Amino acid sequence: MDPIFSARGIVKAFAGVQALRGVDFNVLPGEIHALLGQNGAGKSTLVKILNGVHPAGSYSGEITLAGETVSFASPAAARAAGVGYVPQEIEVLEQLSVAENVFAGHTGLGEGVLIHRHKLEARTRAILDDLGLTIDPKAIVASLTSAQRHLVMIARALALKPRVLMLDEPTASLSGTEVEALLEVLRRLKRQGVTMIYITHRLPEVLEVCDRATVLRDGRVAAELGRDAFEEERFIFAMSGQRLQKLFPAHEAPVGARPMLSVEHLNVAGKPGAIYGARDVSFSVAAGEIVGLAGLLGSGRSEILHGIFGRVPADGAVRVDGQPIAIRSPRDARDAGIALLTEDRKRDGLLFNLPVGANITIGNLDPLSARGMVRGDRERSAILEAMRQLNVKASSPQASVAHLSGGNQQKLLFARVLMRAPKVLLLDEPTKGVDAATRQEIYRLVVELANKGVALVVVSSELEEVLGLCDRCLTIADGRIVDEFKRGEGGEDRVLRAVAAAQAETVRAAS
Ligand SMILES: Nc1ncnc2c1ncn2[C@@H]1O[C@H](COP(=O)(O)OP(=O)(O)OP(=O)(O)O)[C@@H](O)[C@H]1O
Ligand SMILES: [Mg+2]
């Protein structure tokens, strides 16, 4: 079969970085083609070339679509040729409605200049229904969670009925059931004849829906595999050149340790229409203990962390190391020794106009200072040490954050909270978008911190991560703790059963 979309000899350099070093990439009609590789391997760069974000002339090599040579000068040109694209980072207009976002830039298609708003909403409804989503087309995007925003962007790409759809890590911020729903959408699109290029770090998804895979390593193709050759270990070996050992490092909950964090009757108001917030949540975490919050998207897991950290108005009592603290703002929380790794690195994590180094040390300058002055030498060596420890792929501490690959941006945020040496560390999706090798490194760091007496709370949409990493799991549904068990006392089915029971109860109470 001839490829529908193919690239030959693609070479792309940025100032100081050779991102692609001669890539051949062939996508067959009607397949779901996985594009794999470690953070910084060049995946996003390749799809940006195929989509005109990096326009013709900014790279060398040849691209053909359905047998014809194409050179896209812009994303609009690629769209017009039937190439759809959902970028890795969320790009939505917060103050507009879902329908306006889905059709932003596409209005007037085939029907003159004006389209009635009701019509846009109805069409958006149809696309969202097709995706199996209950998001209201009239909702203002600012009220949505980051996962829901990602789904809106997918709807936006589908609005143009593309022939080839490229998805750059669409599931990075989704949890189990949402991932399943999305994979179901991909299967449906495949039956409709849409060809897809699918980037992910979650290998089980590849085994589940993809037909073939191309693995990039350091800007080169390391392997091209057909479905019969699919195997997680083989992918990992092609990506890293290494075999990975056991996924989760061993950790035992400390016995009789004092509570480092305790939360009593925490209430957080939900965002209008979208989520529940937190209701009467009480729990404590011992020094050296890792506690996981499991639950579905929008169950209130992140709101609990945000409430403790003072990012959203909350009431209830919080104590750190026995000391009651009044948390009215993140500053109060930080002063008390609490650090938060945010889930949404673009919206409230990284400062895109500051370089890599400053993004790590921001807020952490005190220990690097003497008599109120920042010691440049200490700052520089601390930055280099943090970059080395987390294997941050950037040309130098002066490099621009906007130019880092998604997974490397995540590592910067992690480096920042580590440097803070907190007593309590709240991690919201700590491995979002990071590759298998770095994921292991992050797990290792989490356990190391626990061994130093830090109390950790982990929110992850990957149940496996919560169950494998944490000493104790709290299951959250509708903003409440509905179940609690220790490592080894339950698995995924226990979490899902508790969630289902809580939901059934909510439905009963409402009727
Ligand atoms: N605009 C840019 N300017 C400078 N360097 C860039 C730019 N875009 C990407 N790079 C560099 O090119 C390399 C490949 O980046 P790319 O974003 O394609 O990686 P990726 O495979 O998508 O990784 P991830 O899994 O982390 O998203 C990285 O070293 C990155 O820092
Ligand atoms: Mg990427």
Side-chain angles (χ1 to χ4, degrees):
M1 208 181 330
D2 287 336
I4 179 167
F5 208 16
S6 83
R8 257 191 307 279
I10 303 291
V11 174
K12 169 78 183 166
F14 299 102
V17 182
Q18 192 70 37
L20 298 173
R21 308 165 190 259
V23 167
D24 291 341
F25 182 55
N26 291 305
V27 181
L28 303 179
E31 72 177 357
I32 306 183
H33 193 112
L35 183 56
L36 307 176
Q38 292 194 308
N39 298 134
K43 304 176 298 294
S44 296
T45 303
L46 181 59
V47 296
K48 284 180 188 166
I49 285 173
L50 294 174
N51 176 59
V53 172
H54 296 315
S58 73
Y59 59 88
S60 60
E62 198 192 35
I63 300 170
T64 58
L65 180 63
E68 312 253 319
T69 302
V70 289
S71 54
F72 300 134
S74 66
R79 271 200 298 276
V83 178
Y85 169 57
V86 181
Q88 184 168 6
E89 297 297 341
I90 294 170
E91 291 165 2
V92 283
L93 298 165
E94 300 232 346
Q95 298 313 322
L96 297 185
S97 72
V98 169
E100 286 165 314
N101 269 282
V102 167
F103 282 94
H106 316 339
T107 40
L109 291 168
E111 286 169 59
V113 188
L114 292 172
I115 287 194
H116 202 278
R117 189 144 63 103
H118 294 308
K119 215 165 184 176
L120 278 191
E121 282 164 7
R123 283 218 219 152
T124 303
R125 177 78 275 146
I127 298 168
L128 293 172
D129 280 349
D130 216 33
L131 286 164
L133 300 174
T134 52
I135 302 171
D136 180 0
K138 294 198 194 80
I140 297 302
V141 165
S143 73
L144 303 183
T145 63
S146 63
Q148 289 172 318
R149 292 164 194 231
H150 222 112
L151 294 165
V152 168
M153 295 210 309
I154 293 173
R156 176 176 153 75
L158 289 176
L160 283 179
K161 301 200 178 359
R163 278 203 284 175
V164 180
L165 178 62
M166 305 194 285
L167 300 142
D168 195 347
E169 295 193 38
T171 53
S173 50
L174 305 188
S175 67
T177 41
E178 291 92 24
V179 172
E180 274 313 309
L182 181 72
L183 296 185
E184 191 47 45
V185 170
L186 301 193
R187 289 191 197 98
R188 207 174 309 164
L189 291 171
K190 182 177 154 173
R191 285 197 292 276
Q192 293 165 12
V194 178
T195 305
M196 281 162 277
I197 299 171
Y198 187 72
I199 300 180
T200 185
H201 289 290
R202 297 181 177 186
L203 301 177
E205 296 171 2
V206 178
L207 301 178
E208 204 172 321
V209 291
C210 296
D211 302 295
R212 291 191 324 121
T214 296
V215 181
L216 295 182
R217 179 154 120 220
D218 260 334
R220 289 196 179 86
V221 175
E224 200 181 324
L225 301 168
R227 197 169 164 86
D228 47 353
F230 277 14
E231 211 188 321
E232 282 201 37
E233 279 191 14
R234 191 171 285 155
F235 292 142
I236 290 174
F237 188 70
M239 282 190 256
S240 64
Q242 289 167 358
R243 307 211 175 271
L244 286 186
Q245 309 90 28
K246 218 163 91 280
L247 192 54
F248 296 102
H251 182 252
E252 301 225 344
V255 180
R258 65 188 192 285
M260 185 54 89
L261 170 71
S262 73
V263 176
E264 274 159 51
H265 308 298
L266 182 79
N267 284 291
V268 179
K271 288 188 202 168
I275 31 188
Y276 300 95
R279 292 189 279 163
D280 199 23
V281 167
S282 301
F283 66 99
S284 70
V285 185
E289 191 185 21
I290 310 170
V291 169
L293 305 185
L296 303 182
L297 177 75
S299 58
R301 298 163 310 176
S302 299
E303 283 64 31
I304 293 171
L305 300 191
H306 291 169
I308 296 170
F309 196 65
R311 279 203 38 196
V312 292
D315 59 60
V318 174
R319 266 193 287 265
V320 173
D321 210 0
Q323 295 297 315
I325 46 168
I327 298 179
R328 285 162 308 242
S329 70
R331 172 157 216 120
D332 294 337
R334 269 198 294 272
D335 288 347
I338 304 177
L340 169 75
L341 176 81
T342 169
E343 157 195 35
D344 193 340
R345 54 184 174 248
K346 187 155 193 181
R347 204 150 44 114
D348 49 34
L350 293 171
L351 296 160
F352 281 79
N353 51 2
L354 290 183
V356 165
N359 266 282
I360 296 176
T361 53
I362 188 159
N364 294 327
L365 290 172
D366 283 352
L368 305 173
S369 309
R371 283 189 287 276
M373 304 278 276
V374 179
R375 296 265 313 260
D377 52 340
R378 278 196 215 165
E379 183 181 9
R380 197 180 154 78
S381 59
I383 289 168
L384 290 174
E385 171 56 21
M387 288 174 67
R388 192 198 53 75
Q389 191 178 22
L390 282 161
N391 195 14
V392 174
K393 194 177 173 202
S395 50
S396 79
Q398 281 75 45
S400 159
V401 168
H403 295 162
L404 289 192
S405 76
N408 280 298
Q409 294 180 356
Q410 181 71 13
K411 295 181 202 173
L412 286 193
L413 285 182
F414 208 91
R416 185 195 296 167
V417 294
L418 282 187
M419 196 170 276
R420 201 154 279 160
K423 293 182 193 161
V424 174
L425 180 52
L426 312 174
L427 299 170
D428 200 353
E429 304 289 357
T431 58
K432 178 175 170 180
V434 307
D435 61 50
T438 308
R439 181 181 282 258
Q440 300 249 292
E441 186 58 18
I442 288 179
Y443 294 154
R444 212 184 51 71
L445 286 166
V446 165
V447 166
E448 202 176 286
L449 289 168
N451 289 339
K452 284 186 187 150
V454 176
L456 292 117
V457 183
V458 179
V459 166
S460 171
S461 50
E462 286 176 71
L463 263 183
E464 198 197 342
E465 189 164 283
V466 174
L467 296 170
L469 191 60
C470 300
D471 304 318
R472 192 152 50 95
C473 172
L474 308 179
T475 305
I476 312 294
D478 291 1
R480 289 176 298 127
I481 297 176
V482 296
D483 190 19
E484 170 180 350
F485 58 92
K486 293 207 179 81
R487 186 198 301 279
E489 286 176 358
E492 301 202 6
D493 49 335
R494 175 160 180 172
V495 173
L496 297 175
R497 252 185 311 178
V499 169
Q503 284 174 338
E505 193 183 311
T506 307
V507 171
R508 248 199 324 277
S511 63

